[in-house]
């Protein structure tokens, strides 16, 4: 199951996007988001988020 980013917890630091091996994470206006069609569910992003904003969908 792909990961999602909770926009209320995301501080838009970009640490998740830096580790995504398939570039499924992109910057939005106030928070980052994960493209579910591109996410391979590797979990690399979840461990890098300083606020715990990333979880399974």
């Amino acid at each position: 199951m792909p990961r999602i980013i909770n926009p209320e917890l995301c501080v838009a630091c970009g640490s998740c996007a830096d580790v995504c091996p398939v570039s499924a994470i992109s910057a939005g206006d106030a928070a980052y988001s994960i493209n579910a069609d591109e996410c391979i569910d590797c979990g690399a992003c979840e461990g890098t988020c300083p606020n715990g904003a990333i979880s399974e969908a």
Side-chain angles (χ1 to χ4, degrees):
M1 180 169 272
R3 308 279 191 231
I4 58 168
I5 297 177
N6 181 335
E8 294 179 14
L9 297 176
C10 180
V11 295
C13 68
S15 62
C16 56
D18 292 340
V19 299
C20 182
V22 294
S23 301
I25 303 173
S26 59
D29 290 336
Y32 277 70
S33 63
I34 300 174
N35 182 324
D37 293 331
E38 295 176 9
C39 178
I40 58 171
D41 195 30
C42 67
C45 60
E46 193 170 355
T48 65
C49 181
N51 290 350
I54 303 172
S55 62
E56 288 185 7

